[in-house]
């Protein structure tokens, strides 16, 4: 390293543990490149064809500019440190591409290609030094302040660190063994520079490095090692206002080293010596270990590695300031953190982090960490097995070949229907996409349950963390159910002030019916002609969508004709006043009117506010309570509001929720008013074992959090409008044979046959189109009394580009 050969450096050449030859220069000892703004703008235009405004940003060793192009796009222009080796830069660029391919959902900044298709170019600075130039997409978000991140955010930080490590574990590059002083495996070489530090700092850093030499270095060679980011500090991980990670930047310290270093560095640099650093390490460790459990030997030295990083920060940054003026400031946070460690003692700190890591890494280890009784041989073997399975990412079922799985399913699950002529064998989901066993990608334009996107990490992490912490029922006091109820009621119509938690939409409607019957003394039920409200004995009675053709309407049920689509003449059923009068006349006083305000089973007919207002008035006049069934249309699907009934202005007596509520985790609820529901609860002793359990409520809270943070309700309106526009465009040439109806991100395309005044439902073609779309990689379904309405109901994490993709596939499917 050049620094080592200059007089006055005062330390020995760093020892390279892998015997890789040291570079001639070191970016840590090389000043930031010099380039004026005009030159930088010139490079941008010449290399990338982009013109725009440049703003200088702080950079520790690179020269950075924020760019806003004339087209309004934002970028980060990086003039890399002249000492950065080209092969090391290529390693970083390759890592970004690798992560993008393996885990597309990770928020990393992509490298923008030059007009010539390269990953960057070169520039000679004003002092004659040569640098690589790279352009990155700009990521939104901000650098959190030291105290800003709460436990949930810190947990998410840890989880993202693990996720990035996972995404990188299959990556290799020949430059990965280059010598970088920030590699904690090389920390032994820092001791020579301890004299640069002042008294107390020198003593603490010396103790940390001493422990590294005796406790860590001898065992580190046996640790899991791979290319890691190696600098997941607060500066390099951008968060949104809720503290959720929205950007991971600066792969400049990336190297091949022990995997656990990523976590140790994150703990050291994110907590940065805040007063509660010692206790706040726990959520970071839990977040990391939920995805990547630590091995026992790694957990045993985690605390010492954190202390080593703090010592390295003190030594290296102090040394750099002795070399050149614009080196980073003295890291006061590192000194404070080491002070906190010294207060509890290095041994106790190490034991504390080891306990946290073991507790978070496997159930067996959790028992050991708590000092519980030794497990029996069999139990400990299976606990270790579970830990190992989790560590390896294994799942408790075996992969099967698709054909064999279809036959096996048929044998044990019977004639349970599968979607599509050729079944889809799914293995993974992410955002609006699903992946099958052959690695084929499908755009999911049908599933509303994963409302915030398949396997959203914020929801998955919250569920994982809670499942390791506590899972109990609502007989015990816990924040989750109370907070969830408060949040649900905050956005609900005024009279609703109570929440009853259950496990499915069917159960919610079943309980709502019991409440209505209890309150009214009646037993009659009103619903729409082709409704679906559930699978239980009571709800099946008013769910004709699933009935066989020869089913008989139960005596206590009457169906009303939904708002008509005048273009399809069909047999019309009775209106509400007539249906309610019939019920009364047959001796069944109406207790409840159930309505899905988006008519998702009746053929997608909403919004139909006037019709809804009138039918509710008439049902109430006959004595019924009004139940808005938001199981399908709720949680933002229709845009404008979380709840579809809001568009009509009607205040329901009861609201039922389910499907999207846990993004796949079973959780459902009934919202009611105390006047109606308190007497019911008192007189029936209402309780549901799983309803409102801590895990379910945690999942639902996480979902609400994502909907809010990602603005998904407004997003549903916007993308819904775009979807409608592109679908209309595709269908325009097909005239009367199609009718499109949409509301937010719910869209129905009715297919008809015939001509002029003689149009009839074209059920066969709807089934064909749906199967062709599946073949083209887009999943949709059908609905409506004749099954001739193609139903598009994607996760709300659906982008305009996804709508475009769907439109292209639809055009092909119709042509086919
Ligand atoms: N109500 C509506 C409007 C529904 O769409 C459904 C499910 N499709 C249910 C109730 C029943 O929900 P679950 O299947 O979760 O019991």
């Amino acid at each position: 390293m050049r620094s080592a050969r200059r007089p006055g450096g005062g330390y020995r050449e760093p020892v390279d543990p892998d015997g890789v030859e040291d570079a001639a220069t070191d970016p840590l000892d090389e000043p930031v490149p010099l380039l004026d703004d005009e030159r930088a703008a010139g490079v941008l235009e010449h290399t990338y064809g982009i013109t725009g405004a440049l703003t200088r940003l702080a950079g520790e060793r690179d020269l950075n500019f924020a760019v806003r192009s004339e087209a309004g796009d934002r970028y980060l222009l990086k003039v890399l440190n002249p000492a950065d080796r080209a092969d090391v830069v290529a390693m970083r660029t390759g890592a970004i591409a690798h992560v993008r391919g393996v885990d597309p959902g990770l928020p990393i900044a992509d490298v923008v290609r030059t007009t010539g298709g390269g990953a960057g170019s070169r520039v000679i600075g004003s002092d004659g030094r040569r640098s690589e130039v790279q352009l990155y997409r700009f990521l939104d978000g901000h650098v959190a302040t030291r105290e800003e991140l709460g436990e949930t955010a810190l947990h998410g930080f840890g989880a993202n660190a693990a996720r990035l490590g996972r995404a990188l574990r299959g990556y290799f590059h020949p430059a990965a063994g280059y010598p970088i002083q920030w590699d904690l495996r090389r920390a032994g070489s820092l001791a020579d520079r301890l004299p640069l530090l002042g008294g107390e700092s020198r003593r603490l850093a010396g103790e940390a490095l001493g422990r590294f030499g005796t406790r860590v270095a001898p065992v580190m060679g046996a640790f899991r090692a791979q290319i890691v980011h190696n600098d997941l500090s607060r500066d390099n991980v951008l968060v949104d206002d809720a503290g959720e990670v929205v950007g991971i930047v600066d792969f400049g310290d990336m190297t091949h080293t022990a995997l656990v270093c990523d976590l140790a560095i994150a703990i050291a640099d994110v907590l940065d010596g805040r007063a509660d650093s010692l206790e706040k390490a726990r959520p970071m460790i839990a977040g990391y270990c939920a995805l990547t459990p630590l091995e026992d030997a790694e957990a045993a030295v985690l605390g010492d590695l954190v202390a080593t990083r703090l010592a390295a920060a003190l030594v290296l940054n102090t040394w750099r300031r002795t070399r050149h003026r614009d080196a980073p400031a003295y890291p006061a946070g590192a000194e404070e953190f080491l002070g906190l460690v010294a207060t509890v003692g290095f041994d106790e700190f190490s034991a504390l982090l080891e306990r946290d890591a073991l507790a978070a890494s496997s159930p067996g280890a959790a028992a050991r960490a708590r000092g519980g009784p030794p497990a029996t041989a069999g139990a400990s073997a299976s606990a270790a097995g579970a830990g190992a399975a989790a560590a390896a990412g294994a799942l408790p079922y075996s992969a099967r070949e698709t054909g064999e799985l279809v036959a096996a399913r048929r044998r044990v699950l019977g004639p349970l229907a599968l979607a599509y002529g050729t079944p889809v064998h799914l293995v993974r989901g992410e955002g609006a996409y699903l992946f099958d066993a052959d690695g084929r990608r499908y755009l999911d334009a049908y599933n509303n349950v994963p409302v915030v996107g398949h396997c959203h990490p914020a929801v998955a992490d919250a569920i994982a963390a809670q499942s390791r912490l506590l899972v109990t029922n609502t007989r015990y006091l816990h924040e989750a159910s109370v907070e969830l109820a408060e949040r649900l009621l905050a956005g609900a119509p005024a009279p609703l002030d109570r929440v009853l938690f259950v496990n499915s939409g069917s159960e919610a409607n079943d309980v709502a019916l019991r409440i209505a019957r209890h309150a009214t003394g009646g037993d009659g039920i009103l619903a729409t002609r082709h409704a679906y409200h559930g699978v239980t004995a009571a709800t099946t009675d008013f769910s004709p969508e699933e009935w066989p053709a020869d089913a008989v309407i139960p005596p206590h049920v009457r169906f009303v004709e939904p708002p008509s689509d005048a273009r399809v003449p069909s047999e019309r059923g009775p209106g509400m006043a007539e249906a309610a009068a019939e019920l009364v006349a047959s001796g069944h006083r109406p207790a409840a009117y159930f309505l899905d305000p988006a008519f998702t089973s009746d053929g997608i007919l909403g919004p139909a506010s006037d019709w809804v207002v009138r039918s509710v008035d008439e049902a109430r006049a006959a004595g019924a309570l009004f139940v808005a069934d938001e199981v399908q249309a709720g949680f933002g699907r229709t845009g404008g509001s979380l709840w579809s009934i809001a568009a009509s202005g009607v205040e329901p007596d009861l609201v039922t929720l389910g499907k999207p509520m846990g993004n796949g985790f079973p959780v459902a609820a009934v919202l009611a008013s105390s006047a109606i529901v308190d007497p019911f609860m008192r007189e029936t002793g209402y309780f549901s074992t799983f309803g409102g359990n801590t895990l379910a409520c945690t999942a639902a809270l996480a979902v609400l959090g994502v909907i809010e943070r990602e603005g998904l309700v407004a997003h549903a309106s916007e993308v819904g409008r775009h979807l409608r526009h592109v679908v209309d465009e595709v269908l325009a040439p097909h005239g009367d044979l199609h009718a499109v109806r949409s509301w937010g991100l719910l869209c129905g395309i009715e297919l008809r046959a015939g001509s002029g005044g003689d149009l009839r439902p074209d059920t066969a073609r709807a089934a064909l189109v749906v199967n062709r779309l599946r073949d083209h990689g887009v999943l949709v379904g059908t609905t409506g009394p004749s099954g001739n309405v193609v139903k598009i109901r994607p996760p709300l994490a659906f982008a305009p580009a996804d709508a475009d993709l769907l439109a292209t596939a639809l055009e092909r499917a119709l042509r086919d």
Side-chain angles (χ1 to χ4, degrees):
M1 300 182 126
R2 177 190 295 179
S3 53
R5 293 180 192 113
R6 283 183 190 158
Y11 78 104
R12 278 203 319 275
E13 190 79 7
V15 179
D16 179 351
D18 296 326
V20 177
E21 230 179 79
D22 278 3
T25 55
D26 180 353
L28 285 193
D29 197 24
E30 181 76 42
V32 172
L34 293 176
L35 198 72
D36 63 32
D37 293 12
E38 213 170 303
R39 280 285 313 286
V43 169
L44 185 67
E45 184 171 4
H46 182 250
T47 312
Y48 294 97
I50 293 172
T51 50
L54 274 69
T55 315
R56 266 171 197 261
L57 298 176
E60 184 182 310
R61 51 185 226 191
D62 306 330
L63 175 62
N64 298 323
F65 294 93
V67 176
R68 185 179 284 278
S69 76
E70 277 168 4
D73 297 320
R74 295 167 74 203
Y75 303 95
L76 178 71
L77 180 70
K78 262 184 152 346
V79 184
L80 300 177
N81 190 283
D84 263 324
R85 286 170 24 182
D87 59 344
V88 174
V89 175
M91 170 185 72
R92 291 178 210 147
T93 310
I96 289 169
H98 181 90
V99 170
R100 179 58 69 229
V102 172
D103 188 349
L106 261 175
I108 52 169
D110 287 317
V111 174
V112 179
R113 296 269 149 189
T114 65
T115 46
S121 77
R122 289 223 167 150
V123 66
I124 301 200
S126 45
D127 54 357
R129 291 178 302 152
R130 183 192 288 262
S131 289
E132 301 260 340
V133 177
Q134 287 199 310
L135 188 67
Y136 290 85
R137 296 225 169 267
F138 200 92
L139 295 177
D140 284 328
H142 66 275
V143 171
T145 60
R146 187 166 75 160
E147 322 294 339
E148 180 181 334
L149 301 177
E151 294 215 353
T152 310
L154 291 168
H155 188 279
F157 207 109
N160 272 285
R163 211 173 139 191
L164 183 59
R166 241 173 203 239
L168 280 169
R169 70 182 171 181
Y171 179 62
F172 176 72
H173 192 281
Y178 80 111
I180 167 165
Q181 300 197 60
W182 287 116
D183 178 359
L184 293 185
R185 285 192 309 190
R186 298 167 188 268
S189 70
L190 302 175
D192 284 5
R193 277 172 279 176
L194 281 169
L196 296 173
L197 300 179
E200 182 62 2
S201 293
R202 187 191 313 167
R203 191 182 69 74
L204 296 178
E207 176 149 10
L209 293 180
R211 289 175 67 93
F212 174 81
T214 53
R215 291 174 43 94
V216 187
V219 293
M220 233 181 157
F223 285 8
R224 293 176 291 178
Q226 61 167 74
I227 295 176
V228 297
H229 183 282
N230 203 41
D231 194 17
L232 291 168
S233 65
R234 237 172 343 103
D235 283 344
N236 291 339
V237 180
L238 306 174
V239 297
D240 65 12
D241 289 343
E244 194 169 317
V245 172
V246 292
I248 300 173
V249 299
D250 197 348
F251 286 62
D253 286 355
M254 164 168 278
T255 189
H256 183 281
T257 189
L259 175 65
V260 66
C261 291
D262 247 2
L263 174 60
I265 289 169
I267 293 171
D269 288 18
V270 172
L271 299 178
D272 200 22
R274 59 194 254 184
D276 56 358
S277 288
L278 302 190
E279 71 200 62
K280 287 298 188 292
R282 179 180 296 166
M284 291 190 76
I285 293 170
Y288 188 93
C289 294
L291 197 66
T292 303
L294 290 195
E295 294 178 354
D296 289 4
E298 295 166 333
V301 300
L302 180 62
D304 282 318
L305 278 172
V306 172
T308 303
R309 166 72 172 192
L310 298 170
L314 288 176
V315 171
L316 284 172
N317 288 333
T318 305
W319 166 71
R320 288 175 72 186
R321 279 185 93 70
T322 67
R323 313 292 300 172
H324 48 93
R325 264 181 303 125
D326 47 2
Y330 182 77
E335 189 174 38
E336 284 165 22
F337 203 157
L338 268 183
L340 291 171
V341 172
T343 310
V344 293
F346 280 78
D347 278 335
E348 180 52 32
F349 177 66
S350 174
L352 182 77
L353 265 57
E354 181 180 13
R355 276 198 299 272
D356 288 347
L358 289 176
S361 290
S362 84
R368 287 199 303 281
R370 283 194 302 270
T376 62
S380 71
S382 71
L395 296 162
Y397 52 82
S398 52
R400 296 197 204 199
E401 192 269 318
T402 301
E404 200 259 327
L405 187 58
V406 169
R409 176 186 148 113
R410 168 84 208 175
R411 275 196 299 278
V412 289
L413 303 186
L416 181 67
L418 272 167
Y420 310 109
T422 313
V424 185
H425 178 184
L426 296 173
V427 295
R428 190 166 80 81
E430 177 162 339
Y433 287 87
L434 289 163
F435 299 83
D436 74 9
D438 296 324
R440 181 161 185 219
R441 192 178 85 143
Y442 296 85
L443 174 63
D444 183 0
Y446 188 63
N447 287 291
N448 65 332
V449 169
V451 61
V452 297
H454 287 278
C455 310
H456 193 293
V459 181
D461 290 348
I463 292 172
Q466 186 62 48
S467 70
R468 286 178 187 276
L469 196 62
L470 177 74
V471 185
T472 51
N473 63 49
T474 49
R475 294 284 192 221
Y476 303 98
L477 196 56
H478 193 271
E479 288 82 354
S481 52
V482 177
E483 208 168 295
L484 176 59
E486 285 171 348
R487 287 185 65 173
L488 291 171
L489 292 171
L496 305 177
D497 59 352
R498 292 280 192 267
V499 178
L500 286 76
F501 290 113
V502 287
N503 308 284
S504 69
S506 303
E507 199 182 345
N509 283 329
D510 197 302
V511 170
L513 176 61
R514 287 182 61 202
I515 297 169
R517 283 178 168 165
H518 187 270
T520 62
D523 74 337
I525 302 164
L526 294 152
T528 50
R529 182 160 69 102
H530 197 65
Y532 183 77
H533 295 289
V535 71
T536 64
T539 54
T540 294
D541 277 349
F542 53 102
S543 296
E545 186 197 32
E546 293 293 318
W547 288 358
D550 57 354
V552 177
I553 300 178
H556 62 285
V557 176
R558 286 294 181 281
F559 295 110
V560 299
E561 190 63 30
S564 80
D565 177 2
R567 285 164 296 187
V568 184
S570 66
E571 202 184 311
R572 311 298 304 171
M576 178 59 81
E578 193 186 336
E582 270 185 38
L583 259 190
V584 175
S586 66
H588 296 282
R589 268 196 298 132
Y593 166 30
F594 282 83
L595 174 71
D596 163 3
F599 304 90
T600 36
S601 298
D602 279 291
I604 305 181
L605 307 168
S609 299
D610 293 348
W611 188 94
V612 171
V613 170
R614 191 164 10 92
S615 67
V616 171
D617 282 349
E618 289 170 357
R620 279 178 169 156
L625 295 186
F626 171 50
V627 185
D629 179 341
E630 296 275 2
V631 170
Q632 187 149 181
F635 286 90
R637 170 139 313 268
T638 54
S641 165
L642 267 187
W643 315 120
S644 62
I645 191 64
S648 67
V650 169
E651 292 187 347
D653 301 298
L654 296 149
V655 174
T656 53
L657 311 175
K659 297 179 80 166
M661 190 168 172
N663 210 48
F665 196 95
V667 50
V670 181
L671 310 188
S673 66
S674 43
I676 290 174
V677 84
D678 286 5
F680 166 79
M681 285 206 272
R682 268 196 293 273
E683 286 162 36
T684 67
Y686 171 83
F687 175 69
S688 162
T689 299
F690 292 128
N693 75 74
T694 41
L695 202 48
C697 291
T698 298
L701 279 168
V703 171
L704 283 174
V706 177
I707 290 178
E708 205 173 292
R709 279 197 300 279
E710 298 185 5
L712 289 181
V713 178
H715 179 85
S717 302
E718 282 161 31
V719 183
R721 267 195 301 275
H722 179 68
L723 173 69
R724 176 61 188 263
H725 173 70
V726 292
V727 166
D728 277 344
E729 270 185 353
V730 170
L731 295 179
H734 300 266
D736 257 10
L737 294 182
H738 305 86
V740 186
R741 297 182 289 267
S742 68
W743 190 11
L745 267 175
L746 177 67
C747 178
I749 306 170
E750 186 171 336
L751 302 190
R752 302 137 168 187
S755 61
D758 182 27
L759 289 174
R760 44 184 201 286
D762 197 343
T763 309
R765 198 156 59 99
L768 258 176
V769 167
V770 165
N771 276 299
R772 295 305 288 166
L773 277 170
R774 175 243 180 268
D775 296 341
H776 292 312
V778 175
L779 304 183
V780 297
T782 55
T783 187
S786 307
N788 65 321
V789 179
V790 175
K791 181 172 174 183
I792 301 170
R793 183 195 50 179
L796 300 191
F798 198 72
D802 297 327
D804 296 342
L805 199 153
L806 181 146
T808 308
L810 180 64
E811 189 164 28
R812 285 174 68 193
L814 288 169
R815 206 170 346 113
D816 293 347

